[in-house]
């Protein structure tokens, strides 16, 4: 288990990999993934073209209400964590500075928020909403309303799901020293013994399977858009049944190479370059397209989002205005997205957790919720509003040769409508293909890393051999799911079914994680001290002003005498209030702190106290002395075993590990009762 000392595992040693893996997690997870692929292939072959439509409808009807309710709860929890006293808790030691500066942190959140999905749906989803609005919307709705509906799917709801996993992992790892694994989110509910038993294994198995199918969904839609782009450029035929397979094989081979070489800095630069390229693509469309209309849309779309948000938050079975529609708006969009985000959450959650050490809970919550949401507003305002702009001019502008709207073609049709030279359109298309390809590579590589960490029980340093295995398994899973579709047009529905099915067991884990985090943050929020500054006296300016008023003049001996008398009387009052409990509070001489070590460090003679709120029922009065005391166990009960320790790097670097080591040192030092003698000459040499 992860609680044992970690020894270095050789990258290409099969015996080392087998020995280090958590086999009760690894083997069942692989078997479940393989079993799901066999079922998908059989189902598509035996049930025909409507197979996955029927399966999707059944799943939506069965779990849709649960997904909608749960995401609303996630938003409520995130807001509570951010606004409550728990928001002051630091994800690390109390005095620890954030590991990354605010600018770098927001950039990395931007990288997490940007993905294949935004590029794929940025143009098409608002157009679909405009052409087929849901029943609760105006059938003749405008562009802003269509974009607002898309933003509900890409805004606070999605990132509230990521907050659950990311905040939980960051807190349990950086604050409490637990291994970086999903199972430890539920320790406050099941306890350490069960978490290290079959219960914990089941949780990690669910997380691995959900992550694999979540990543595969993104890779599946990404490879379809790459194939469409190659067709748009005349470089390949998108109808070639083997094209998607070869694209997945080729791109995942690059991802496998990056895993083998272990060029983490190279991948980091690749991600940064990709982020810059995506931003450049958005800027190009903004400047080349209807710029003023798009700038106006950014403001208007934000308002539409805020208006649509409460309208859709509890919508479970919204139909289309079209009575002949074969499916529902909620099933095609909302519930699909909630399932996709849940299956993607272990991956993104672990990423944002690892970059958020040293942040407070409040910084984490509002940074993760607001920054990516604003990015989505900007992205959909540029690409979605541009697509609608040209569609309203002439519907044929955004339709393919068959007169229909294809989600994979939307981006390239938008480029074709921009009033720029043909060479610029071609360059933009190539640029778009590269952006999606790099997203594909980094997602496949990072997805294999996350599943590998989970398969090793939270171990962050894993052998390259098993990372390669997960990369290959993810590629095979994507190929099989796309091939399982009875018709090429049904491939997106297959991916949709995979994501919302994989999210079902994960949703139970996340619901329990909310309960666990409420207990933990409530405990830590009450138990964490607040620091207050205590003055020996009123401000110097207030004292002087009072002395001048009392003496009846602005300067002179009378003012000085009155001021000194006030200070002396104040000293007596403070001494009477606090007795001998604190020489500092009893009134230091006016010159206190000048020349003293504390005076040099603090620059003032004020006192800083750590204040902790204590419930009344935990206080007690000593019958002999009348002194007020308290019972810590009666006041607060730690939801997890506070005395548990782990021989892992995560525990040593955490707040709990640091506190435990420091307290042991303190008790050992006090127990000796002697001050060690230091040789002055030796001490001088050290200085």
């Amino acid at each position: 288990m992860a609680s044992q000392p970690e020894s270095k595992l050789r990258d290409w040693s099969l015996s080392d990999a087998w020995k280090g893996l958590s086999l009760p997690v690894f083997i069942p997870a692989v078997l479940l993934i393989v079993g799901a692929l066999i079922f998908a292939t059989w189902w598509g072959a035996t049930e025909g073209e409507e197979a996955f439509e029927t399966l999707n409808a059944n799943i939506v009807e069965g779990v849709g209400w649960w997904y909608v309710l749960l995401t609303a709860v996630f938003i409520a929890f995130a807001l509570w964590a951010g606004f409550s006293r728990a928001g002051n808790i630091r994800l690390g030691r109390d005095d620890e500075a954030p590991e990354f500066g605010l600018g770098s942190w927001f950039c990395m959140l931007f990288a997490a928020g940007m993905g294949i999905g935004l590029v794929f749906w940025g143009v098409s989803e608002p157009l679909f909403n405009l052409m087929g609005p849901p029943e609760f919307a105006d059938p003749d709705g405008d562009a802003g309303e269509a974009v607002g509906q898309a933003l509900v799917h890409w805004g606070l709801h999605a990132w509230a799901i990521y907050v659950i996993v990311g905040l939980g992992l960051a807190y349990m790892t950086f604050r409490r020293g637990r291994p970086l694994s999903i199972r430890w989110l539920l320790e406050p509910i099941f306890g350490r013994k069960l978490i290290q038993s079959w219960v914990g294994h089941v949780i990690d198995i669910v997380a691995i399977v959900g992550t694999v199918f979540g990543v595969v969904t993104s890779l599946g839609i990404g490879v379809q858009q790459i194939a469409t782009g190659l067709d748009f450029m005349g470089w390949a035929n998108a109808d070639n049944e083997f094209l998607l397979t070869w694209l997945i094989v080729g791109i995942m081979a690059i991802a496998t190479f990056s895993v083998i070489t272990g060029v983490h800095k190279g991948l980091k630069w690749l991600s940064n370059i990709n982020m810059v390229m995506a931003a450049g693509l958005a800027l190009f469309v903004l400047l080349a397209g209807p710029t003023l209309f798009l700038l106006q849309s950014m403001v208007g779309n934000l308002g539409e989002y805020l208006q649509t948000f409460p309208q859709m938050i509890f919508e479970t079975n919204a139909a289309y205005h079209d009575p002949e529609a074969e499916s529902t708006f909620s099933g095609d969009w909302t519930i699909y997205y909630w399932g996709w985000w849940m299956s993607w959450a272990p991956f993104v959650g672990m990423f944002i957790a690892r970059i958020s050490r040293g942040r407070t809970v409040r910084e984490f919550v509002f940074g993760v919720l607001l920054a990516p949401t604003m990015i989505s507003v900007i992205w959909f305002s540029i690409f979605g509003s541009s697509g609608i702009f040209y569609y309203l001019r002439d519907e044929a502008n955004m339709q393919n040769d068959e007169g229909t709207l294809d989600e994979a073609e939307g981006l390239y049709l938008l480029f074709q409508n921009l009033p720029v030279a043909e060479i610029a359109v071609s360059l933009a298309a190539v640029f778009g293909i590269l952006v999606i390809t790099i997203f594909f590579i980094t997602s496949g590589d990072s997805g294999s890393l996350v599943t590998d960490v989970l398969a090793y029980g939270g171990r962050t340093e894993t052998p390259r051999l098993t990372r390669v295995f997960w990369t290959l398994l993810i590629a095979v899973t994507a190929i099989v799911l796309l091939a399982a579709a009875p018709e090429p047009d049904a491939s997106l529905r297959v991916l949709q079914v995979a994501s919302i099915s994989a999210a079902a067991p994960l949703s139970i884990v996340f619901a329990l994680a909310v309960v666990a985090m409420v207990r933990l943050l409530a405990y830590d929020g009450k138990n964490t001290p607040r620091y207050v500054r205590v003055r020996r006296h009123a401000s110097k300016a207030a004292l002087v002003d009072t002395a001048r008023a009392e003496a009846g003049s602005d300067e002179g001996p009378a003012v000085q005498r009155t001021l000194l008398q006030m200070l002396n009387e104040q000293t007596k009052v403070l001494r009477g209030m606090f007795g001998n409990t604190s020489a500092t509070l009893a009134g230091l001489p006016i010159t206190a702190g000048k020349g003293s070590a504390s005076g040099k460090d603090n620059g003032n003679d004020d006192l800083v106290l750590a204040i902790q709120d204590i419930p009344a029922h935990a206080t007690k009065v000593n019958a002999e002395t009348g002194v007020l005391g308290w019972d810590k166990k009666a006041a607060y009960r730690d939801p997890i075993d506070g005395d548990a320790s782990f021989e892992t790097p995560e525990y040593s670097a955490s707040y709990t590990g640091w506190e435990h080591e420091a307290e042991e040192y303190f008790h050992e030092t006090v127990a000796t009762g002697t001050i060690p003698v230091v040789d002055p000459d030796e001490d001088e040499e050290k200085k």
Side-chain angles (χ1 to χ4, degrees), residues 546-559:
T546 303
R548 285 172 173 170
E550 188 70 19
S553 63
D554 291 337
E555 302 290 343
V559 177

Side-chain angles (χ1 to χ4, degrees), residues 333-613:
W333 298 103
T334 307
I335 295 170
Y336 158 59
Y337 275 126
W338 296 173
W340 188 13
W341 302 146
M342 287 186 203
S343 60
W344 191 253
F347 170 45
V348 178
M350 189 174 292
F351 170 75
I352 61 178
R354 294 188 70 173
I355 65 172
S356 300
R357 185 183 185 104
R359 295 278 163 198
T360 64
V361 170
R362 184 170 294 112
E363 289 173 335
F364 181 95
V365 168
F366 292 117
V368 172
L369 282 181
L370 299 181
T373 298
M374 290 309 301
I375 291 168
S376 297
V377 171
I378 294 171
W379 187 269
F380 276 101
S381 295
I382 293 176
F383 288 89
S385 296
S386 293
I388 290 176
F389 177 85
Y390 292 114
Y391 176 81
L392 293 177
R393 277 190 164 186
D394 184 351
E395 294 183 5
N397 286 336
M398 298 302 298
Q399 294 177 344
N400 56 24
D401 295 338
E402 298 175 0
T404 61
L405 175 62
D406 184 277
E407 53 272 349
E409 290 184 76
L411 180 66
Y412 306 107
L413 291 174
L414 171 61
F415 293 152
Q416 201 169 42
N417 280 278
L418 294 175
V420 294
E422 187 174 344
I423 184 65
V425 173
S426 300
L427 289 175
V430 173
F431 218 63
I433 294 172
L434 288 176
V435 168
I436 301 166
T437 302
I438 299 174
F439 273 133
F440 197 130
I441 295 170
T442 53
S443 296
D445 183 25
S446 302
S448 67
L449 174 61
V450 169
T451 51
D452 210 29
V453 169
L454 293 172
Y456 279 90
R459 185 189 188 111
T460 53
E461 293 296 329
T462 59
R464 292 189 176 102
L465 178 63
T466 45
R467 291 190 196 180
V468 170
F469 168 80
W470 288 112
T471 307
L472 296 176
L473 182 61
I474 289 172
V476 170
T477 302
I479 292 170
V480 173
L481 283 181
L482 289 173
E487 299 292 336
D489 293 342
S491 58
L492 190 61
R493 182 66 77 192
V494 175
L495 297 172
Q496 183 175 0
V497 170
S499 64
I500 63 174
S501 301
L506 268 177
S507 67
I508 299 173
V509 174
F510 296 161
L512 293 174
V514 170
V515 176
M517 287 304 298
V518 168
R519 296 181 62 190
L520 282 169
L521 293 179
Y523 162 79
D524 213 349
K526 294 175 182 177
N527 198 43
T528 301
R530 294 177 292 115
Y531 296 95
V532 296
R533 173 189 175 194
V534 180
R535 285 178 173 171
R536 294 177 54 252
H537 46 67
S539 69
K540 296 173 183 177
L543 286 171
V544 171
D545 187 60
T546 303
R548 285 172 173 170
E550 188 70 19
S553 63
D554 291 337
E555 302 290 343
V559 177
Q560 295 175 350
R561 183 170 56 252
T562 304
L563 179 60
L564 292 174
Q565 286 175 348
M566 290 171 59
L567 291 174
N568 288 332
E569 289 300 320
Q570 184 186 67
T571 298
K572 295 176 184 178
V573 172
L574 290 173
R575 184 176 289 115
M577 291 173 59
F578 296 101
N580 294 323
T581 57
S582 171
T584 305
L585 280 176
L588 291 171
I590 298 175
T591 57
K594 296 179 179 178
S596 66
S598 60
K600 291 178 181 178
D601 292 339
N602 299 327
N604 58 65
D605 56 358
D606 296 337
L607 181 67
V608 174
L609 294 179
I611 305 295
Q612 181 178 348
D613 296 324

